[in-house]
Amino acid sequence: MDTDIVLLGIIGLIVAVVVGILVYAIHSGLFHKVTVTTGAPPIGKFTGAYKHFRGPYRDSGATFRAVGRICPDKKCFGVWYDDPELVPPAKLRWITGAIVAEGDEKPDPETVTALQNKGYKIQDFPDVARAVKTSYPFVNTLSIFLAVMRVYSALDGYIKTRGLEAGPFVDVYDRANSVSHFMAPLEHHDMFYVPEVKKP
């Protein structure tokens, strides 16, 4: 009898853990429908503070956390210049950083100085009228992993199926509104390249 009670308790615990993990994953966007469209992206022109990197894209997580510690109230962004299916991981070029101003607003001088003191550079990025775009929930770290696994393949398939000249890929992580935006510009491509990265 006691053995049966223990066994039932263990089974109940396992079920509770599995249900908890599933609920957490669903909340993080597991079943979010990835819808790719073409049009004006939700992010217009912005001023970004960035650092340039070369290496596997998977190394970017630490760089996002680093900039988030400097200005936790700002949106983070990344620009990915190379196709990981064509370029070796060690040679992939990318930048990550924080958006310090959007539209016609002026950056906060103290924020800019704090970032520059940590080695970040400042550049303006353009407004685009047309981009391949989608969005994904951003509620926790798992949301980012789910987005990376699902969004990029959807964007890439959309672009290749239609023969579009799009890129580089741009991500914007808006924690305040619990959403991540992903886009590949269809115009002004060169203006998303920083001086450290030359367009091939």
Side-chain angles (χ1 to χ4, degrees):
M1 183 68 175
D2 291 342
T3 302
D4 292 341
I5 293 174
V6 171
L7 182 59
L8 287 173
I10 293 173
I11 293 173
L13 179 61
I14 292 172
V15 170
V17 170
V18 171
V19 170
I21 292 173
L22 182 60
V23 170
Y24 181 76
I26 292 172
H27 177 65
S28 303
L30 178 62
F31 295 130
H32 176 76
K33 182 179 180 181
V34 178
T35 302
V36 180
T37 60
T38 300
I43 302 297
K45 66 178 181 178
F46 66 90
T47 302
Y50 74 90
K51 281 187 178 181
H52 166 252
F53 301 93
R54 185 182 291 267
Y57 287 156
R58 66 173 179 269
D59 293 346
S60 63
T63 70
F64 281 115
R65 290 191 293 272
V67 73
R69 286 192 291 268
I70 301 171
C71 45
D73 60 325
K74 299 296 184 183
K75 298 173 185 175
C76 292
F77 78 101
V79 183
W80 320 94
Y81 296 104
D82 297 307
D83 185 343
E85 294 184 0
L86 302 176
V87 178
K91 295 185 177 181
L92 294 171
R93 302 165 301 164
W94 44 282
I95 63 172
T96 56
I99 295 177
V100 295
E102 294 185 60
D104 294 325
E105 69 180 8
K106 300 297 182 183
D108 173 56
E110 291 185 5
T111 301
V112 170
T113 299
L115 287 160
Q116 289 177 323
N117 287 341
K118 293 293 186 178
Y120 289 84
K121 298 182 179 180
I122 306 299
Q123 177 165 312
D124 292 326
F125 294 86
D127 187 15
V128 295
R130 296 179 63 249
V132 178
K133 60 177 182 171
T134 190
S135 61
Y136 205 86
F138 178 31
V139 294
N140 50 43
T141 302
L142 180 59
S143 299
I144 299 174
F145 287 110
L146 291 172
V148 168
M149 288 190 297
R150 301 182 62 206
V151 165
Y152 290 114
S153 59
L155 289 172
D156 189 56
Y158 185 98
I159 291 167
K160 289 180 177 177
T161 299
R162 292 161 176 77
L164 301 174
E165 183 180 351
F169 286 105
V170 181
D171 308 347
V172 175
Y173 297 95
D174 183 357
R175 183 176 292 278
N177 293 301
S178 302
V179 64
S180 301
H181 300 291
F182 302 86
M183 72 169 185
L186 291 167
E187 59 186 18
H188 305 313
H189 311 280
D190 292 352
M191 297 179 71
F192 287 91
Y193 282 76
V194 297
E196 297 89 342
V197 180
K198 301 298 182 182
K199 184 176 180 181

